[in-house]
Amino acid sequence: MSPNKKMKGVYVILGVLAIANASAVVENKLRSSVGENCDTSLNTFEIQEFTVKPWPPSKNENVSMTMKGVVHKDVTFASMEIYVKYSGFDFYHESIPESGSYKAGSTAEIDFKVYFPSIAPPGKYAVDVKVKDTNGNFLNCWEVKFSL
């Protein structure tokens, strides 16, 4: 095989790899499953998927959030606590009544919205979401970080 044909083959392979990498980057930006466990000691409600739409959030719109996970012991949900932090400082807290009794091993899904008004200052935000049971115990902690 001539050197020119080998170079063309290398260019084709590099082109395919570049396209594959670009599609992975686009897919990651569009993916809405986000966040991480913010307290591993709270694992009664183990979050397996947390979606935010639209992603990333922006000002002056309701942001839909859904958390889905497995309950590891019999429990009754009482509330969901939402803590918004701005630049590392507590900014806002909201308690939303929740209900539902779950058996160990069952799946629970909670849908909710968070509104970021147009007057929200630009900067780094974190939203921590915790579910409480009827005894006042936190069952999980999930944190989503983003910038407005």
Side-chain angles (χ1 to χ4, degrees):
M1 185 180 283
S2 72
N4 284 341
K5 286 186 180 182
K6 285 182 184 177
M7 285 305 288
K8 286 181 184 177
V10 168
Y11 288 134
V12 169
I13 291 170
L14 289 175
V16 169
L17 290 174
I19 291 169
N21 185 49
S23 66
V25 169
V26 169
E27 180 183 334
N28 285 337
K29 288 186 179 191
L30 295 177
R31 183 176 32 169
S32 59
S33 186
V34 295
E36 62 187 7
N37 186 331
C38 49
D39 187 343
T40 56
S41 71
L42 302 174
N43 57 12
T44 300
F45 179 32
E46 180 185 350
I47 305 303
Q48 296 179 321
E49 182 179 352
F50 194 101
T51 57
V52 178
K53 294 178 184 173
W55 183 257
S58 58
K59 293 181 186 183
N60 207 28
E61 67 183 353
N62 277 312
V63 178
S64 298
M65 298 187 181
T66 301
M67 65 178 164
K68 187 175 185 179
V70 174
V71 177
H72 291 294
K73 70 177 189 177
D74 294 356
V75 69
T76 299
F77 290 177
S79 68
M80 179 175 55
E81 306 299 315
I82 301 173
Y83 302 90
V84 178
K85 297 176 189 175
Y86 171 68
S87 294
F89 296 99
D90 293 336
F91 188 64
Y92 175 76
H93 171 249
E94 182 175 358
S95 181
I96 300 171
E98 280 297 323
S99 61
S101 293
Y102 299 90
K103 295 285 184 191
S106 63
T107 300
E109 182 173 324
I110 300 174
D111 299 308
F112 59 101
K113 293 186 186 298
V114 175
Y115 180 74
F116 296 100
S118 59
I119 61 169
K124 294 181 180 184
Y125 286 81
V127 176
D128 289 2
V129 181
K130 298 179 179 181
V131 175
K132 269 188 181 176
D133 67 11
T134 53
N135 294 321
N137 299 312
F138 285 114
L139 308 176
N140 73 318
C141 183
W142 196 260
E143 183 173 68
V144 176
K145 295 179 181 179
F146 55 90
S147 293
L148 288 180

